[in-house]
Amino acid sequence: GDFSLLYPSGTEGIVTIQVRDLTGRLVLTVKEGVNKGHNIIYIKNLPNWIPGVYFITVKNKEDVRQGKLVKVP
């Protein structure tokens, strides 16, 4: 499965995306370049994650944002 993430950025640079499962285990780390303004980040070829809730953290030099991802069967 794949997913996309809409990320508004105040600056150009690199963001680190981390995804954790409900136990807090880190299941994915990705670094992506972003431009100032709205960005769509595509995460492709995910491992076979089990259905459930995952927590996403997106970090750059100035900001940390968090959200949830729900994988359905």
Side-chain angles (χ1 to χ4, degrees):
D2 303 339
F3 73 92
S4 60
L5 179 67
L6 177 61
Y7 181 75
S9 180
T11 60
E12 184 176 315
I14 302 290
V15 295
T16 301
I17 302 162
Q18 294 181 323
V19 180
R20 296 182 184 274
D21 65 14
L22 281 176
T23 67
R25 183 176 60 95
L26 184 65
V27 294
L28 178 71
T29 299
V30 176
K31 292 186 186 270
E32 287 286 331
V34 296
N35 296 313
K36 184 176 180 178
H38 292 285
N39 296 269
I40 299 176
I41 300 169
Y42 295 99
I43 308 295
K44 298 183 178 187
N45 301 321
L46 295 178
N48 293 325
W49 295 354
I50 61 171
V53 177
Y54 294 85
F55 299 99
I56 301 174
T57 302
V58 182
K59 298 187 242 184
N60 67 15
K61 291 180 183 177
E62 306 167 349
D63 194 21
V64 176
R65 297 185 189 191
Q66 296 181 321
K68 290 181 188 175
L69 167 70
V70 178
K71 176 157 178 13
V72 294

